[in-house]
Amino acid sequence: MKRIIPLLLTLLLLLSGCSLQEELLTEKRHINPIPADATALVFTSAGGTRTVSDPEVISALRASYRWTNYHLHCCLEGEVAARMTIIAGGSLHPAEPGKVYADPDVPSYNPAFRRLLRSVWESAPAD
């Protein structure tokens, strides 16, 4: 009986169409490109540097982000207008810089986040 239960569970899993890899890549796994301890966002572009340190703006960006399977907001193609680096815990966050695209209508997995990120960059005062 002890050998049959794992076999039945495996068969049930296979028949349901689920797999461990699928489970790991669903909405149940949440990753946010802006860490909870972020204190500033630094945008660098050809026009100079802009820094956003308003906790409400950073929190709104975090809240607007949606994990879509294994796709991040940066998994796009297009001309990059600015790059965003993050200051978290008093130092530069090690994640790859985020991208603000020159085309406001570039297709995105997270359109609300991408639009808000662009809006934050455009409204930030130049350093």
Side-chain angles (χ1 to χ4, degrees):
M1 186 67 165
K2 288 183 180 181
R3 289 183 177 173
I4 291 179
I5 292 176
L7 181 61
L8 289 175
L9 289 174
T10 303
L11 287 174
L12 183 62
L13 187 62
L14 290 173
L15 290 174
S16 70
C18 293
S19 68
L20 180 58
Q21 183 179 7
E22 233 176 281
E23 284 298 308
L24 291 175
L25 300 177
T26 62
E27 293 289 334
K28 295 175 185 175
R29 180 178 172 205
H30 298 283
I31 295 176
N32 197 308
I34 302 175
D37 62 344
T39 55
L41 308 175
V42 181
F43 295 93
T44 307
S45 68
T49 303
R50 300 175 183 201
T51 303
V52 175
S53 57
D54 183 343
E56 289 181 13
V57 172
I58 295 170
S59 179
L61 270 171
R62 279 187 52 76
S64 73
Y65 186 78
R66 295 292 175 264
W67 176 256
T68 308
N69 293 331
Y70 56 91
H71 300 291
L72 297 172
H73 72 282
C74 61
C75 299
L76 308 169
E77 292 185 12
E79 183 183 348
V80 176
R83 298 200 181 270
M84 176 191 69
T85 53
I86 301 166
I87 307 296
S91 61
L92 190 63
H93 191 265
E96 179 181 338
K99 299 173 185 174
V100 177
Y101 291 90
D103 178 2
D105 297 321
V106 67
S108 174
Y109 295 105
N110 295 281
F113 176 81
R114 181 187 48 76
R115 287 185 190 111
L116 184 57
L117 184 64
R118 183 180 179 83
S119 173
V120 167
W121 168 63
E122 288 176 338
S123 62
D127 290 346

